[in-house]
Amino acid sequence: MLAVGTDVVAPRDPCVPPASTPTARRVLAVALLLVLAQTITRGVLAVDGNLYWDDLILTGRATALPLLSPEFLFHNHDGHFMPAAFLTAGVTTALAPLQWWAAAATLIGLQLLAALAVLRVLWLLLGPRPALLAVLALYLFAPLTLPAFAWWAAGLNSLPLQAALAWVAGDALLLARTGRRRYAVTGTVVTVVALAFFEKSVLVPFAAYALLALTLRVDGVAAPLRTAWREGRRLWLAAAAVVAVWAACYLAVATTGMRVPAPAEAAQFAHHGTSLGVVPAMLGGPWRWERWPPGPPWANPPTGLVVAGWIVLLGTLVVTLRCTQRTGWVWAAAAAYVAASEAAMMLARSGPGTTYEIAQTLRYTSDGAVVLAFGFALIVRAPRRADAGRVGAVARHLTRPVVATAIVLGLVASSLWSTVTFARSWHDNPGADYLATARASLAAHRDVPLLDQPVSLMTLLPVAAPWNSAAHVFAPLADRPEFASSTPELRALDESGRLVEATIGAVRWIGPGTEPGCGTRIGQAGAPVPLDGPVMIWEWTAQLNYFASVDGTVAVGLGAGEPVTVPVRRGLNRAYVRMYGTGTELSVRPLTPGLELCVGAGPVGVVVQGTVTVP
């Protein structure tokens, strides 16, 4: 254990009161009030949200697959390896199917956990000095974390990562301070949990090591890298073993599909992610958000804010380097983390169909807010230079309590305005109205089975197939009709989510048959029902106009395609049958003993809403 162990986690300033003083209690009380304020603010944002895009894929898979099955937990979701996120989504869906309040509750809980973990680290680095409140407020209200919080699927990745970054870093500091093994154990356990939520959590132990080493360097400890390794060795070795096992699982399950962008592309991604994303967010921006439905909002800061952000950032860099000792590597480490996040985004998401605005969604750099909070805390902790000159005079003026408080309040106000404008953009989600209307419409028409169909393009695009089908999206609901391969009444969900009457847009026609008054007679052995021409291989819907001798079931197929089972009723009726295949005839075979049918003419084609006039 370090001889100067207390200095690893406590401020060097001897004027800072100990944690048991009234000042310390006041600082802690205000810090907890700030966390409560963030919880309320983010809670309002979450409650006003709704299930969106990947959220519906998660809920659909949770219903279609057993909760603890490898197929469900170890699915490669767009390059992500996230069994704990799938498990959370599965449990939430089972308890409250397609209920947004349940998803919002998980977001609020995870955000609170992350906020408390960051407060813990700041307390370890700064102790109960008022400057802690400023750094904490900047993290709590930073717009950088907004987009990843509001979207459930993204929050299940990002929020556990943020919490783990802070918790494991705190455990590393406490392990170096006390030497107690329990901090190596809890740090390892949290790393395991974080990796189960999001593959980017592989950075957690590296960030913890960097924070410990930088803290030692700021405190003037010789050989900080070697000392950080020695004092945290038990945690680093355990984390290395965890990462090795996780890496084997990840490589066996996930297909990354990484692509190295051209230098010009990389420069554009970096510009959009840094100048139009991270830098304005450090001043509470972007203030404005744009959206191309059904895509998520992305930051669109005014040019003046971008310029001001760079001026303030570079000015802060100059002042802190000139006025504090040994903080150059702090800046370098924070910049490296943000750059690594942007590089990972480029490798995983760049491609011919990707716009540069994806970097402005801020989801890929949201965890950088935790690292930036670490960096500001270390700068506050660092000893001051005695020979700072005019720059030092400026710094002393800016750090006067009244001036510093005004600056922080201004940044928080700027951040809250960005939160308001983001909430307006996020609320403009056409998929939410579709889901609400469809739920009500399905509940009101439970009597007749429905043929499956893709949901509205504003809810899920075809690239999400097969999870963009109504049968998967609405599978969690109990109060709905059954989705089946045949139905006696043809209905479909329109673009607003209403269940409306539908018909078949004919591509081919079932022939009138050769037997007068019957059409094509189907005996117990079955018979082919010819079409008026061939159809290509596809999923077609046939209108089967029939007369049945008794109630029963028949098997209907198209060419060599897999036949589907269709219930039929005694007398003159019709059934709409969905089947996959190709060829020039349907095959119809009774499955019920004694059942015979007469099949008349009818269309074969695709389902369309409303009525169609056919010549």
mmCIF file of all heavy atoms in Angstrom, residues 390-422:
data_model
loop_
_atom_site.group_PDB
_atom_site.id
_atom_site.type_symbol
_atom_site.label_atom_id
_atom_site.label_comp_id
_atom_site.label_asym_id
_atom_site.label_seq_id
_atom_site.Cartn_x
_atom_site.Cartn_y
_atom_site.Cartn_z
ATOM 1 N N ARG A 390 0.356 36.702 -15.666
ATOM 2 C CA ARG A 390 -0.956 37.270 -15.990
ATOM 3 C C ARG A 390 -2.010 36.200 -16.175
ATOM 4 O O ARG A 390 -3.182 36.401 -15.839
ATOM 5 C CB ARG A 390 -0.841 38.111 -17.258
ATOM 6 C CG ARG A 390 -0.012 39.383 -17.090
ATOM 7 C CD ARG A 390 -0.014 40.178 -18.384
ATOM 8 N NE ARG A 390 0.767 41.409 -18.232
ATOM 9 C CZ ARG A 390 0.954 42.289 -19.214
ATOM 10 N NH1 ARG A 390 0.434 42.056 -20.423
ATOM 11 N NH2 ARG A 390 1.662 43.388 -19.005
ATOM 12 N N VAL A 391 -1.599 35.076 -16.728
ATOM 13 C CA VAL A 391 -2.558 33.974 -16.890
ATOM 14 C C VAL A 391 -3.057 33.518 -15.527
ATOM 15 O O VAL A 391 -4.241 33.228 -15.343
ATOM 16 C CB VAL A 391 -1.914 32.805 -17.654
ATOM 17 C CG1 VAL A 391 -2.875 31.615 -17.723
ATOM 18 C CG2 VAL A 391 -1.513 33.234 -19.050
ATOM 19 N N GLY A 392 -2.163 33.495 -14.556
ATOM 20 C CA GLY A 392 -2.561 33.122 -13.208
ATOM 21 C C GLY A 392 -3.542 34.109 -12.612
ATOM 22 O O GLY A 392 -4.480 33.736 -11.900
ATOM 23 N N ALA A 393 -3.348 35.404 -12.910
ATOM 24 C CA ALA A 393 -4.279 36.418 -12.412
ATOM 25 C C ALA A 393 -5.663 36.210 -13.010
ATOM 26 O O ALA A 393 -6.690 36.338 -12.319
ATOM 27 C CB ALA A 393 -3.755 37.813 -12.744
ATOM 28 N N VAL A 394 -5.707 35.893 -14.312
ATOM 29 C CA VAL A 394 -6.990 35.604 -14.951
ATOM 30 C C VAL A 394 -7.637 34.381 -14.310
ATOM 31 O O VAL A 394 -8.844 34.371 -14.026
ATOM 32 C CB VAL A 394 -6.793 35.377 -16.468
ATOM 33 C CG1 VAL A 394 -8.084 34.890 -17.105
ATOM 34 C CG2 VAL A 394 -6.303 36.646 -17.134
ATOM 35 N N ALA A 395 -6.834 33.348 -14.071
ATOM 36 C CA ALA A 395 -7.359 32.126 -13.473
ATOM 37 C C ALA A 395 -7.903 32.385 -12.073
ATOM 38 O O ALA A 395 -8.962 31.871 -11.699
ATOM 39 C CB ALA A 395 -6.275 31.056 -13.429
ATOM 40 N N ARG A 396 -7.187 33.193 -11.299
ATOM 41 C CA ARG A 396 -7.664 33.507 -9.943
ATOM 42 C C ARG A 396 -8.986 34.268 -9.989
ATOM 43 O O ARG A 396 -9.879 34.050 -9.160
ATOM 44 C CB ARG A 396 -6.608 34.308 -9.190
ATOM 45 C CG ARG A 396 -5.430 33.468 -8.716
ATOM 46 C CD ARG A 396 -4.551 34.243 -7.762
ATOM 47 N NE ARG A 396 -3.912 35.391 -8.412
ATOM 48 C CZ ARG A 396 -2.761 35.335 -9.059
ATOM 49 N NH1 ARG A 396 -2.117 34.169 -9.175
ATOM 50 N NH2 ARG A 396 -2.226 36.410 -9.613
ATOM 51 N N HIS A 397 -9.120 35.139 -10.979
ATOM 52 C CA HIS A 397 -10.381 35.879 -11.112
ATOM 53 C C HIS A 397 -11.523 34.931 -11.489
ATOM 54 O O HIS A 397 -12.637 35.035 -10.935
ATOM 55 C CB HIS A 397 -10.233 36.968 -12.181
ATOM 56 C CG HIS A 397 -11.496 37.739 -12.424
ATOM 57 N ND1 HIS A 397 -11.987 38.664 -11.527
ATOM 58 C CD2 HIS A 397 -12.378 37.700 -13.465
ATOM 59 C CE1 HIS A 397 -13.119 39.170 -11.998
ATOM 60 N NE2 HIS A 397 -13.366 38.609 -13.181
ATOM 61 N N LEU A 398 -11.251 34.026 -12.419
ATOM 62 C CA LEU A 398 -12.294 33.100 -12.868
ATOM 63 C C LEU A 398 -12.698 32.115 -11.778
ATOM 64 O O LEU A 398 -13.824 31.598 -11.794
ATOM 65 C CB LEU A 398 -11.834 32.333 -14.105
ATOM 66 C CG LEU A 398 -11.635 33.167 -15.373
ATOM 67 C CD1 LEU A 398 -11.063 32.302 -16.483
ATOM 68 C CD2 LEU A 398 -12.966 33.791 -15.827
ATOM 69 N N THR A 399 -11.798 31.818 -10.858
ATOM 70 C CA THR A 399 -12.097 30.842 -9.808
ATOM 71 C C THR A 399 -12.626 31.489 -8.532
ATOM 72 O O THR A 399 -12.831 30.787 -7.538
ATOM 73 C CB THR A 399 -10.848 30.008 -9.487
ATOM 74 O OG1 THR A 399 -9.750 30.887 -9.167
ATOM 75 C CG2 THR A 399 -10.471 29.121 -10.659
ATOM 76 N N ARG A 400 -12.807 32.798 -8.549
ATOM 77 C CA ARG A 400 -13.488 33.430 -7.415
ATOM 78 C C ARG A 400 -14.878 32.833 -7.279
ATOM 79 O O ARG A 400 -15.555 32.575 -8.287
ATOM 80 C CB ARG A 400 -13.572 34.943 -7.609
ATOM 81 C CG ARG A 400 -12.234 35.660 -7.498
ATOM 82 C CD ARG A 400 -12.371 37.108 -7.917
ATOM 83 N NE ARG A 400 -13.427 37.784 -7.160
ATOM 84 C CZ ARG A 400 -13.943 38.955 -7.486
ATOM 85 N NH1 ARG A 400 -13.527 39.569 -8.605
ATOM 86 N NH2 ARG A 400 -14.869 39.519 -6.735
ATOM 87 N N PRO A 401 -15.335 32.572 -6.058
ATOM 88 C CA PRO A 401 -16.612 31.857 -5.880
ATOM 89 C C PRO A 401 -17.772 32.444 -6.668
ATOM 90 O O PRO A 401 -18.541 31.699 -7.309
ATOM 91 C CB PRO A 401 -16.845 31.957 -4.365
ATOM 92 C CG PRO A 401 -15.477 32.063 -3.784
ATOM 93 C CD PRO A 401 -14.667 32.844 -4.778
ATOM 94 N N VAL A 402 -17.893 33.775 -6.676
ATOM 95 C CA VAL A 402 -19.024 34.382 -7.373
ATOM 96 C C VAL A 402 -18.915 34.158 -8.875
ATOM 97 O O VAL A 402 -19.888 33.778 -9.542
ATOM 98 C CB VAL A 402 -19.110 35.890 -7.060
ATOM 99 C CG1 VAL A 402 -20.187 36.546 -7.909
ATOM 100 C CG2 VAL A 402 -19.387 36.112 -5.571
ATOM 101 N N VAL A 403 -17.717 34.382 -9.423
ATOM 102 C CA VAL A 403 -17.515 34.229 -10.865
ATOM 103 C C VAL A 403 -17.672 32.763 -11.268
ATOM 104 O O VAL A 403 -18.352 32.443 -12.257
ATOM 105 C CB VAL A 403 -16.142 34.768 -11.284
ATOM 106 C CG1 VAL A 403 -15.910 34.542 -12.776
ATOM 107 C CG2 VAL A 403 -16.022 36.248 -10.947
ATOM 108 N N ALA A 404 -17.034 31.865 -10.517
ATOM 109 C CA ALA A 404 -17.113 30.440 -10.851
ATOM 110 C C ALA A 404 -18.550 29.935 -10.778
ATOM 111 O O ALA A 404 -19.002 29.166 -11.638
ATOM 112 C CB ALA A 404 -16.222 29.633 -9.913
ATOM 113 N N THR A 405 -19.293 30.380 -9.767
ATOM 114 C CA THR A 405 -20.695 29.961 -9.638
ATOM 115 C C THR A 405 -21.513 30.443 -10.824
ATOM 116 O O THR A 405 -22.348 29.703 -11.370
ATOM 117 C CB THR A 405 -21.291 30.495 -8.332
ATOM 118 O OG1 THR A 405 -20.535 29.989 -7.220
ATOM 119 C CG2 THR A 405 -22.749 30.076 -8.191
ATOM 120 N N ALA A 406 -21.271 31.690 -11.243
ATOM 121 C CA ALA A 406 -22.002 32.230 -12.386
ATOM 122 C C ALA A 406 -21.699 31.442 -13.655
ATOM 123 O O ALA A 406 -22.602 31.163 -14.466
ATOM 124 C CB ALA A 406 -21.658 33.702 -12.579
ATOM 125 N N ILE A 407 -20.436 31.075 -13.849
ATOM 126 C CA ILE A 407 -20.055 30.297 -15.029
ATOM 127 C C ILE A 407 -20.756 28.938 -15.037
ATOM 128 O O ILE A 407 -21.329 28.509 -16.051
ATOM 129 C CB ILE A 407 -18.527 30.130 -15.099
ATOM 130 C CG1 ILE A 407 -17.862 31.484 -15.363
ATOM 131 C CG2 ILE A 407 -18.147 29.118 -16.174
ATOM 132 C CD1 ILE A 407 -16.347 31.433 -15.274
ATOM 133 N N VAL A 408 -20.720 28.260 -13.889
ATOM 134 C CA VAL A 408 -21.336 26.935 -13.809
ATOM 135 C C VAL A 408 -22.845 27.028 -14.021
ATOM 136 O O VAL A 408 -23.438 26.223 -14.749
ATOM 137 C CB VAL A 408 -21.010 26.272 -12.459
ATOM 138 C CG1 VAL A 408 -21.801 24.976 -12.297
ATOM 139 C CG2 VAL A 408 -19.514 25.976 -12.359
ATOM 140 N N LEU A 409 -23.479 28.030 -13.401
ATOM 141 C CA LEU A 409 -24.925 28.184 -13.592
ATOM 142 C C LEU A 409 -25.262 28.473 -15.046
ATOM 143 O O LEU A 409 -26.267 27.984 -15.573
ATOM 144 C CB LEU A 409 -25.444 29.307 -12.692
ATOM 145 C CG LEU A 409 -25.481 29.007 -11.188
ATOM 146 C CD1 LEU A 409 -25.947 30.232 -10.406
ATOM 147 C CD2 LEU A 409 -26.375 27.809 -10.892
ATOM 148 N N GLY A 410 -24.411 29.260 -15.706
ATOM 149 C CA GLY A 410 -24.635 29.526 -17.118
ATOM 150 C C GLY A 410 -24.528 28.271 -17.962
ATOM 151 O O GLY A 410 -25.345 28.044 -18.872
ATOM 152 N N LEU A 411 -23.532 27.430 -17.669
ATOM 153 C CA LEU A 411 -23.378 26.186 -18.418
ATOM 154 C C LEU A 411 -24.535 25.231 -18.151
ATOM 155 O O LEU A 411 -25.013 24.538 -19.068
ATOM 156 C CB LEU A 411 -22.042 25.532 -18.059
ATOM 157 C CG LEU A 411 -20.790 26.257 -18.540
ATOM 158 C CD1 LEU A 411 -19.533 25.581 -17.997
ATOM 159 C CD2 LEU A 411 -20.740 26.299 -20.057
ATOM 160 N N VAL A 412 -24.993 25.185 -16.902
ATOM 161 C CA VAL A 412 -26.135 24.324 -16.588
ATOM 162 C C VAL A 412 -27.390 24.822 -17.297
ATOM 163 O O VAL A 412 -28.164 24.033 -17.855
ATOM 164 C CB VAL A 412 -26.355 24.251 -15.067
ATOM 165 C CG1 VAL A 412 -27.678 23.563 -14.745
ATOM 166 C CG2 VAL A 412 -25.204 23.500 -14.399
ATOM 167 N N ALA A 413 -27.602 26.141 -17.301
ATOM 168 C CA ALA A 413 -28.757 26.699 -18.003
ATOM 169 C C ALA A 413 -28.693 26.391 -19.497
ATOM 170 O O ALA A 413 -29.702 26.034 -20.121
ATOM 171 C CB ALA A 413 -28.826 28.209 -17.777
ATOM 172 N N SER A 414 -27.506 26.503 -20.078
ATOM 173 C CA SER A 414 -27.326 26.170 -21.485
ATOM 174 C C SER A 414 -27.644 24.697 -21.739
ATOM 175 O O SER A 414 -28.308 24.343 -22.721
ATOM 176 C CB SER A 414 -25.891 26.493 -21.904
ATOM 177 O OG SER A 414 -25.631 26.079 -23.228
ATOM 178 N N SER A 415 -27.193 23.846 -20.824
ATOM 179 C CA SER A 415 -27.457 22.411 -20.955
ATOM 180 C C SER A 415 -28.941 22.102 -20.841
ATOM 181 O O SER A 415 -29.468 21.249 -21.569
ATOM 182 C CB SER A 415 -26.676 21.647 -19.877
ATOM 183 O OG SER A 415 -25.283 21.836 -20.013
ATOM 184 N N LEU A 416 -29.614 22.776 -19.927
ATOM 185 C CA LEU A 416 -31.046 22.530 -19.762
ATOM 186 C C LEU A 416 -31.828 22.977 -20.992
ATOM 187 O O LEU A 416 -32.822 22.340 -21.374
ATOM 188 C CB LEU A 416 -31.553 23.238 -18.514
ATOM 189 C CG LEU A 416 -31.069 22.654 -17.178
ATOM 190 C CD1 LEU A 416 -31.560 23.496 -16.013
ATOM 191 C CD2 LEU A 416 -31.521 21.208 -17.013
ATOM 192 N N TRP A 417 -31.398 24.074 -21.628
ATOM 193 C CA TRP A 417 -32.065 24.500 -22.856
ATOM 194 C C TRP A 417 -31.869 23.450 -23.956
ATOM 195 O O TRP A 417 -32.801 23.139 -24.702
ATOM 196 C CB TRP A 417 -31.549 25.859 -23.306
ATOM 197 C CG TRP A 417 -32.158 26.288 -24.613
ATOM 198 C CD1 TRP A 417 -31.530 26.496 -25.794
ATOM 199 C CD2 TRP A 417 -33.553 26.546 -24.857
ATOM 200 N NE1 TRP A 417 -32.432 26.856 -26.777
ATOM 201 C CE2 TRP A 417 -33.686 26.892 -26.225
ATOM 202 C CE3 TRP A 417 -34.696 26.506 -24.056
ATOM 203 C CZ2 TRP A 417 -34.915 27.200 -26.806
ATOM 204 C CZ3 TRP A 417 -35.922 26.798 -24.642
ATOM 205 C CH2 TRP A 417 -36.019 27.153 -25.998
ATOM 206 N N SER A 418 -30.669 22.902 -24.046
ATOM 207 C CA SER A 418 -30.439 21.830 -25.019
ATOM 208 C C SER A 418 -31.303 20.615 -24.698
ATOM 209 O O SER A 418 -31.765 19.912 -25.613
ATOM 210 C CB SER A 418 -28.957 21.434 -25.031
ATOM 211 O OG SER A 418 -28.162 22.457 -25.568
ATOM 212 N N THR A 419 -31.530 20.366 -23.405
ATOM 213 C CA THR A 419 -32.402 19.261 -23.017
ATOM 214 C C THR A 419 -33.834 19.504 -23.477
ATOM 215 O O THR A 419 -34.507 18.599 -23.976
ATOM 216 C CB THR A 419 -32.363 19.077 -21.488
ATOM 217 O OG1 THR A 419 -31.014 18.834 -21.073
ATOM 218 C CG2 THR A 419 -33.235 17.910 -21.061
ATOM 219 N N VAL A 420 -34.301 20.749 -23.316
ATOM 220 C CA VAL A 420 -35.668 21.095 -23.736
ATOM 221 C C VAL A 420 -35.826 20.928 -25.248
ATOM 222 O O VAL A 420 -36.798 20.327 -25.729
ATOM 223 C CB VAL A 420 -36.002 22.540 -23.316
ATOM 224 C CG1 VAL A 420 -37.305 22.995 -23.956
ATOM 225 C CG2 VAL A 420 -36.091 22.641 -21.799
ATOM 226 N N THR A 421 -34.869 21.439 -26.010
ATOM 227 C CA THR A 421 -34.983 21.345 -27.469
ATOM 228 C C THR A 421 -34.838 19.900 -27.935
ATOM 229 O O THR A 421 -35.478 19.491 -28.910
ATOM 230 C CB THR A 421 -33.940 22.231 -28.155
ATOM 231 O OG1 THR A 421 -32.621 21.893 -27.678
ATOM 232 C CG2 THR A 421 -34.200 23.698 -27.854
ATOM 233 N N PHE A 422 -34.005 19.119 -27.244
ATOM 234 C CA PHE A 422 -33.904 17.700 -27.588
ATOM 235 C C PHE A 422 -35.228 16.991 -27.321
ATOM 236 O O PHE A 422 -35.687 16.172 -28.133
ATOM 237 C CB PHE A 422 -32.788 17.024 -26.795
ATOM 238 C CG PHE A 422 -32.702 15.542 -27.044
ATOM 239 C CD1 PHE A 422 -31.996 15.047 -28.124
ATOM 240 C CD2 PHE A 422 -33.361 14.632 -26.219
ATOM 241 C CE1 PHE A 422 -31.936 13.673 -28.376
ATOM 242 C CE2 PHE A 422 -33.304 13.270 -26.455
ATOM 243 C CZ PHE A 422 -32.590 12.796 -27.540
#
